[in-house]
Amino acid sequence: MKIYITNDETTTEGYTTFSPLNGDNIRELDSERVADSECSDILCPNIIDYIPFQIILPVVQNYIKKLRRGGNITIGGTDLYLASLLVTKRDIPLDKINELIFGGYQAYQAKSGLVGVNDMLALLEGLGLKIVSKSLIDGYKYLIVGRKN
């Protein structure tokens, strides 16, 4: 099984989509829909910023629990440390800064859990994942692919 976890209405071909806009509990993937060790691939390129910071660890642990051996998880987020460097250099326009920090105004658009890239790398490695790749987008957003051994 391949799943795509998002905070909006986008879909990805070949993936089962989980979104709070569809009534899905993206913090605890339903064990009736996704069994432990069932997923070969989990994509969550934009959801971590919208999970409350205090529960990011158990949410990511739950996602990893759904991976089978050799399965990959792709996690994306915003590194506020890197973004702040671009803000001080005025490389990001003011409207983008507000969106970056606060998100939108509807459910799952307000940001509540910005985690730096190095902190997310440490979290994933601490949970036993091998980091397959990492990249930066626009100098402050990251995508990390981890593999369950």
Side-chain angles (χ1 to χ4, degrees), residues 7 10 12 26 38 53-54 63 78 82 105 120 122 147:
N7 69 324
T10 60
T12 299
I26 60 167
E38 181 179 5
F53 183 79
Q54 301 85 340
Y63 292 174
T78 302
L82 293 175
Y105 299 102
M120 183 57 71
R147 179 169 296 138

Side-chain angles (χ1 to χ4, degrees), residues 27 48-56 112-113:
R27 295 177 184 179
I48 292 300
D49 290 352
Y50 304 94
I51 303 290
F53 183 79
Q54 301 85 340
I55 63 167
I56 287 176
S112 58

